[in-house]
Structures are given as structure tokens and as C-alpha cells.
Amino acid sequence: MGDCKVSAVLLDTVSIQKYIFSGRKLKEFVGASYIVNWIYDEPIKEVLNSLFPSKSIGLECWENNPEKIDICNGDDFEVGYIGGGNALLFFKDEEKAKQFINKWTLNLLYMTPGLIPACALINDFDFNNYQASIKRIFDRLEQVKTSFPVNVLIPRHGISAECQLSGGAKEVWYNSVDPTESGYISSILKTKLDFAETANKKFEDDLIPDAYKTTLAFTTEIDKLGQKQGEENYIAIVHADDNSTGKLFRSCNDLNATRKLSHFLKTKTKEAMCCTINDLIEEIKARSFDSFLNLSTFRNKTFLPIRPLIVGGDDITFVSHGKLGIWLAERLIKNYQDLTGTNDFNHKFTLSAGVLIAKAHMPFYRAYRLAEDLCGQAKKKRRASSNSGNWLDFHIAYGGFTGTIEDIRRRYYRTPMGELCLRPLKVGDRTPDSDSLETFIEATKTLSSIPRSKVMELRKVLAMGDQSAGKILVNNLSYRGQTLPPFPGGSYKQEIWVGGKTPYFDMIELLEFYPI
């Protein structure tokens, strides 16, 4: 490429999950999730047009022509890539790079209050030593993010009333469609709500199949995900993440490779989500979920029992009806596996997912963090299993437990006989072994033939960790001509516990929260 050294700017945001999920209403999360991507679009264009008024600024060239790098051929500016919550920009002139950072961050203070940007600048990004340069700018970004807290809020006066929904000052008036919700709120909350309608339309345009765009929609209310009135209102929060893209990005030896990988992941992640929603629609049409779904309608459109929140890069988060969370996560993983199976990177792409099932009005940020923690447990199990395959972990929060998933399971899911949970589970592996979700589902179908009263008795026996009570239950079932489902790895159906493990607690929870 010849000698090519330029100024590089790497953009990011701090505490992005807290910004998105720290509110109380689904509509806020929808608007906030859109904002964290939008800041890499219009706000960047606006600043660049002011810095280079004679140029036509386009932010899509890096995707359309990834091999074309104009910054090394005399251009003043170029987008390296935008994706995965980052934007990498190149400037010929260091002063222009500094002006961009100043104007972009200043504009965000007004346009997106509460969002914390982070910027890294190096003045000698060397395309002939690409990997080292990328590492340096990411290391610099990490230093910026951890060196000092950035205050992006204008201090409020002591006499200001507090916005009960966000904790900020009641400083701006919000006109709601529902007159009872109009009033003074914080600027942070108003910005999220103002973006919510645009965000919802974007999600529907991108993810709902064309044939259903006039009849189906995504809700912005947590209570309209298909729950039936009079029943306990459970939702599922699903967080999924690719297992090894960080390592793969670090292995890219030039900008062209980075661009292609970024575009591939963004495209396949969106396609996998589209396919999952289409799978859901087909099952609804087949009336597979009629026993527990009660879909809401508004203005001649039916709300789907799923609400995507983040779909970008290698990261997906959505909320759904409680009984569909594990099923949807399973479908997402399988679709992602199928769509990424053929690629130019000589790499097997895999997902890990965490599914937190909780009552609808559990604090959402707490619930999301548990879903994220579950995804981390799935990744941990994968690493312990030769770094292969797709993994899923789930948890049903019946009460208000605190702490990490490891803490919760250590305190509440251990008995004198051993562990109650065998999860995380492997997804998409046809091998009938004790780590396979498919194996658990097949065994759970057999368990569903046993009377519910006996299943609840089994649950009680498991929680007690009493081997003798377990044998009595097995004998009672035998007298009725029934047996517990067989399971790989031991004589569980006779002993219930084998080697300090049992599969039946996981089965009982799947029976309650998986559409068998």
C-alpha cells in the first residue's frame, strides 16, 4: 500500500446497557437502543459536513466497497467501519480529527443527554502495520473509558423537582398520546421517548416479513406480549452474543478484512433475527401456542409476543412472552448457525445465550444484568467444553433473589444430594448426551405425560435432596405403571440422583416454560 499514516479516531459509548435499560418502561428501552446506533449516523454526518463543506459525505462506502481505501490516495476523510457499537474514522489532518471529536461530543450533550461518549485518537495510524495500530487505538480507548468519569449532565438546582421515572430533574414538558402521562420529565427520558416511535418503525421495517407488515407489529408495552389475563405475568429477557468475534477481529491483518467481517456479522445477525421472527409467526399461524398466548391488537395490527431491543454486530437482546424465551433463543441460535455456516473467514461462528424468565414488573435493568450473566455462564461452559458449539443457560426468577447467577445457584440450588441444575446446555448438537438441550426437551415431553401432582411432588423431593423420598416416589409411579424419563449418563429414572447430579429439576422448569 506504500507509506500511509493518518490520524485515526475511534468512537464508543460508556455504560451503554445502563443507559438503555435503566428506565421503567419498554418504550424507553426501545428509544434508547435506537439512539446508541443513531449517534453513529446523523450526528457524524452533521459534523463532517461542517468540517468538509465541499465534499459529499457518505457513511456507507466502507460496506459497499470494502477494498477501496481512499484516505491513502489523498482524501481528507474516510470511514474505517461502523458496527458493533464502535466507529473508526480516518482523517488526513490531525487538527480536523480533534475538531470532529470536539463538535461531535458537544452536539451529543444537547441531542442525547445522559449518553456518555468515549473517543480515542492516535496520530500515526499505520496501514502497513495494521494489527499493531488497531491494538494501540483500542488500548487507548480503554484507557479513556477507565481513566475518569465523564459528567454529561448539566447540574440541576436544589429546588428542581425530581423525575420519578428517571431520577433526573423535571426540566422539559412531554406531550403523551395518553393525556394522563403528559407532564414535566427529565431531558434524558424525553429524548428516549421522542425516539421510540422512529425506533419502533425501524425495527418493524427491518425485522417483520414484508407479507405481514400491514397486519403485525411490535408492542412498546411490557404487558402486551401475549400474556393471558388472570395468569401470572412472566416475561423472558434474552441476551445472545457470538462466542469468538473479538479474537477474530484481532486476527484481521488489514482494514479490508475488518470491514468484511463487520458487514458479515451485522448482516447475518439481522437475518438470524428475521428468520426467528418468521419461525414464530409460522407457529402462531399453526396455532401451536394457543394454549398460553393471548395476542393484543391495536389499529388493525396484532402485536407479536416478542420485542427486539438490540440487533447489531454480534449482539442481540429481546424480550418476549415468558413461555417463549427459551424456544426463541434456541431458534435464534440454530438460525444463526445455519446462516453463518458458509463464510469466507474459515471460521465456525457460534452463539451463547442467556434467558432470564421473571415477573413482568421486576426491575428491568436487574433482569437484563441477570440475562447477561446467564450468557456469561453459557460462554464459561463452552470454554470448559473445548471451546466448541452453541450454549444456552436459563433461570426462572420466582422471587427477588439478589447476587450473580453463581451466587443464587450456590445458595438456593444445592441440596444434600448435589446440584439441582445441569444447565448451561448445548444447542444444535444432534448427539443425544446429557449436555444437549434437545435431549432435555425430548425427556421433558415424556415427563409431561406424568400427572402434574406427581411432577410437583418430584419437585419437592428434589428440593429436599432426600434420596429415600426419591425412591418412594419412583416406586409409587411404578405402581401406577409410570416411570421417570430415562436420561443419558446413569440410572436416573431409578435413583433420581446419580453422582451428585439430577436432570429432573431442569426438566420441570422446561415443562413450565417451554412450549412442549
Side-chain angles (χ1 to χ4, degrees), residues 6 28 35 58 71 75 81 105 146 182 206 224 228 233 241 277 281 340 351 369 400 402 434 458 493-494 496:
V6 298
E28 300 170 43
I35 288 170
I71 193 73
D75 272 21
Y81 71 89
T105 53
T146 58
S182 296
D206 286 350
K224 292 185 177 179
K228 287 190 173 182
N233 188 354
D241 192 13
I277 290 171
I281 293 170
T340 59
L351 277 185
R369 291 301 299 268
T402 60
S434 59
L458 172 61
K493 68 177 184 177
Q494 283 87 33
I496 295 184

Coordinates of all heavy atoms in Angstrom, one line a residue, residues 6 28 35 58 71 75 81 105 146 182 206 224 228 233 241 277 281 340 351 369 400 402 434 458 493-494 496:
V6 N -2.0 8.1 9.0 CA -3.1 9.1 9.2 C -3.5 9.2 10.6 O -3.1 8.4 11.5 CB -4.3 8.8 8.3 CG1 -4.0 8.7 6.8 CG2 -4.9 7.4 8.7
E28 N -39.2 3.2 26.7 CA -37.9 3.9 26.9 C -36.7 3.1 26.4 O -35.8 3.6 25.7 CB -37.7 4.2 28.4 CG -38.7 5.0 29.1 CD -38.6 5.0 30.6 OE1 -37.5 5.1 31.0 OE2 -39.6 4.9 31.3
I35 N -31.1 5.1 19.8 CA -30.2 6.2 20.0 C -28.7 5.8 19.9 O -27.9 6.4 19.3 CB -30.5 7.0 21.3 CG1 -31.8 7.7 21.2 CG2 -29.3 7.9 21.6 CD1 -32.3 8.3 22.5
G58 N -20.7 10.4 2.7 CA -21.5 9.2 2.7 C -20.8 8.3 3.7 O -19.6 8.1 3.7
I71 N -8.3 7.2 1.8 CA -7.6 8.1 2.7 C -6.1 8.0 2.3 O -5.4 9.0 2.5 CB -7.8 7.7 4.2 CG1 -7.3 8.8 5.1 CG2 -7.2 6.4 4.5 CD1 -8.1 10.0 5.1
D75 N -7.5 11.6 -0.1 CA -8.8 12.1 0.5 C -8.5 12.6 1.9 O -7.6 12.2 2.6 CB -9.8 10.9 0.6 CG -10.6 10.8 -0.7 OD1 -10.1 11.4 -1.7 OD2 -11.7 10.3 -0.7
Y81 N -14.9 1.8 9.6 CA -16.1 0.9 9.6 C -17.0 1.5 10.8 O -16.5 2.2 11.6 CB -15.7 -0.6 9.9 CG -15.2 -0.8 11.3 CD1 -16.1 -1.2 12.4 CD2 -13.8 -0.7 11.6 CE1 -15.6 -1.4 13.6 CE2 -13.4 -1.0 12.9 CZ -14.3 -1.3 13.9 OH -13.8 -1.5 15.2
T105 N -18.9 15.4 20.3 CA -19.3 15.2 21.7 C -20.1 16.3 22.2 O -21.0 16.1 23.0 CB -18.0 15.0 22.5 OG1 -17.1 16.1 22.3 CG2 -17.3 13.7 22.2
T146 N -11.7 4.2 31.3 CA -11.5 3.9 32.7 C -10.7 4.9 33.5 O -10.5 4.8 34.7 CB -10.7 2.6 32.8 OG1 -9.4 2.7 32.1 CG2 -11.5 1.4 32.2
S182 N -48.8 12.9 30.3 CA -48.2 14.2 30.0 C -47.7 14.9 31.2 O -48.3 14.8 32.3 CB -49.1 15.1 29.2 OG -49.5 14.5 27.9
D206 N -37.3 -3.5 9.4 CA -36.1 -4.4 9.3 C -36.4 -5.8 9.5 O -35.8 -6.7 8.9 CB -35.0 -3.9 10.2 CG -34.3 -2.6 9.7 OD1 -34.6 -2.2 8.6 OD2 -33.5 -2.1 10.5
K224 N -48.2 -6.4 26.9 CA -48.9 -6.8 25.7 C -48.0 -7.7 24.8 O -47.9 -7.6 23.6 CB -49.3 -5.5 24.9 CG -50.4 -4.7 25.6 CD -50.9 -3.6 24.7 CE -52.0 -2.8 25.5 NZ -52.5 -1.7 24.7
K228 N -51.9 -13.9 29.2 CA -53.4 -14.0 29.4 C -53.7 -13.4 30.7 O -53.0 -13.5 31.7 CB -53.8 -15.5 29.4 CG -53.8 -16.2 28.1 CD -54.4 -17.6 28.2 CE -54.6 -18.2 26.8 NZ -55.2 -19.5 26.8
N233 N -48.0 -13.1 35.2 CA -47.5 -12.4 34.1 C -45.9 -12.5 34.0 O -45.2 -11.7 34.7 CB -47.9 -10.9 34.1 CG -47.5 -10.2 32.9 OD1 -46.9 -10.7 32.0 ND2 -48.0 -8.9 32.8
D241 N -24.9 -13.6 22.3 CA -23.6 -13.0 21.9 C -22.8 -14.0 21.2 O -22.8 -15.2 21.6 CB -22.9 -12.4 23.1 CG -21.8 -11.5 22.8 OD1 -21.6 -11.1 21.6 OD2 -20.9 -11.3 23.7
I277 N -38.1 -14.5 13.9 CA -39.4 -13.9 14.0 C -40.4 -14.6 13.0 O -41.6 -14.8 13.3 CB -39.3 -12.4 13.7 CG1 -38.7 -11.7 14.9 CG2 -40.7 -11.8 13.5 CD1 -38.3 -10.3 14.7
I281 N -43.9 -16.5 13.7 CA -45.2 -16.2 13.0 C -45.8 -17.5 12.5 O -47.0 -17.7 12.6 CB -44.9 -15.2 11.9 CG1 -44.5 -13.8 12.5 CG2 -46.1 -15.1 11.0 CD1 -44.0 -12.8 11.4
T340 N -24.5 -18.6 9.1 CA -23.1 -18.3 9.1 C -22.3 -19.5 8.8 O -21.0 -19.4 8.7 CB -22.7 -17.8 10.5 OG1 -23.0 -18.8 11.5 CG2 -23.4 -16.5 10.9
L351 N -23.1 -19.0 18.8 CA -23.7 -18.1 19.8 C -23.8 -18.7 21.2 O -24.0 -19.9 21.3 CB -25.1 -17.7 19.3 CG -25.3 -16.6 18.3 CD1 -26.8 -16.4 18.2 CD2 -24.7 -15.3 18.7
R369 N -29.3 -7.6 33.5 CA -28.0 -8.0 34.0 C -27.9 -9.5 34.3 O -26.9 -10.1 34.1 CB -27.6 -7.2 35.3 CG -27.4 -5.7 35.0 CD -26.3 -5.4 34.0 NE -25.0 -6.0 34.4 CZ -24.1 -5.3 35.1 NH1 -24.3 -4.0 35.4 NH2 -23.0 -5.8 35.5
G400 N -37.4 -12.6 44.6 CA -36.4 -11.4 44.5 C -35.0 -11.8 44.9 O -34.5 -11.1 45.7
T402 N -31.1 -11.9 45.1 CA -30.0 -10.9 44.7 C -28.7 -11.6 44.5 O -28.5 -12.8 44.9 CB -29.9 -9.9 45.8 OG1 -29.5 -10.5 47.0 CG2 -31.2 -9.1 46.0
S434 N -26.0 -35.7 27.8 CA -26.6 -35.0 28.9 C -26.4 -33.5 28.9 O -27.0 -32.8 29.8 CB -26.0 -35.6 30.2 OG -24.6 -35.4 30.3
L458 N -42.4 -34.5 42.7 CA -41.0 -34.7 42.4 C -40.2 -33.5 42.6 O -39.0 -33.5 43.1 CB -40.9 -35.1 40.9 CG -39.5 -35.2 40.3 CD1 -38.6 -36.2 40.9 CD2 -39.6 -35.5 38.7
K493 N -33.7 -42.7 36.3 CA -35.1 -43.0 36.5 C -35.4 -43.9 37.6 O -36.5 -44.0 38.1 CB -35.8 -43.5 35.2 CG -35.3 -44.9 34.8 CD -36.0 -45.3 33.5 CE -35.7 -46.8 33.1 NZ -36.4 -47.2 32.0
Q494 N -34.3 -44.6 38.1 CA -34.5 -45.4 39.3 C -33.9 -44.7 40.6 O -34.5 -44.8 41.7 CB -33.7 -46.7 39.2 CG -34.4 -47.8 38.4 CD -34.0 -47.6 36.9 OE1 -32.9 -47.2 36.6 NE2 -35.0 -48.0 36.0
I496 N -32.9 -41.1 40.7 CA -33.2 -39.7 40.6 C -31.9 -38.9 40.7 O -31.6 -38.0 39.9 CB -34.2 -39.2 41.7 CG1 -35.5 -39.8 41.5 CG2 -34.2 -37.6 41.7 CD1 -36.6 -39.3 42.5

